[in-house]
């Protein structure tokens, strides 16, 4: 009997709500929470995969060979066809 008495007290509160107001409700919250969990899992997976990457830059060409190529052409000249 206590449950029905509690519900009768809540009925007037429900009538005060604006019936023209649209809200996302529980389904909207569940969808938003599922998207948030999915993004969190994707970020966690991405961090794990990025940790496995072993990136090393290719070494620069030796300056001696670059200097030899640069000495053959005057500075600022462009090749013409």
């Amino acid at each position: 009997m206590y449950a029905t008495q509690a519900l009768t007290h809540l009925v007037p509160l429900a009538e005060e709500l604006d019936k023209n107001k649209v809200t996302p409700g529980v389904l909207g919250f569940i969808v938003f929470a599922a998207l948030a969990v999915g993004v969190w899992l994707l970020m966690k997976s991405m961090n794990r995969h990025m940790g496995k990457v072993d990136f090393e830059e290719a070494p620069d060409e030796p300056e001696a060979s670059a200097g030899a190529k640069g000495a053959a052409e005057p500075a600022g000249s462009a090749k013409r066809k």
Side-chain angles (χ1 to χ4, degrees):
M1 180 142 162
Y2 293 119
T4 50
Q5 287 178 348
L7 288 176
T8 57
H9 291 290
L10 292 176
V11 170
L13 293 176
E15 290 176 357
E16 291 178 9
L17 294 176
D18 185 11
K19 298 195 186 303
N20 295 324
K21 185 176 179 182
V22 178
T23 61
V26 176
L27 180 62
F29 174 76
I30 291 171
V31 169
F32 182 78
L35 286 172
V37 168
V39 167
W40 181 73
L41 290 173
L42 283 172
M43 289 178 62
K44 191 172 179 178
S45 174
M46 182 190 67
N47 283 335
R48 196 174 325 125
H49 281 85
M50 291 299 284
K52 293 179 183 178
V53 173
D54 185 25
F55 176 74
E56 291 183 21
E57 281 190 43
D60 292 336
E61 292 182 14
E63 291 184 24
S65 64
K69 290 179 186 175
E73 297 177 9
S77 65
K79 293 182 182 179
R80 295 184 184 201
K81 292 184 180 182

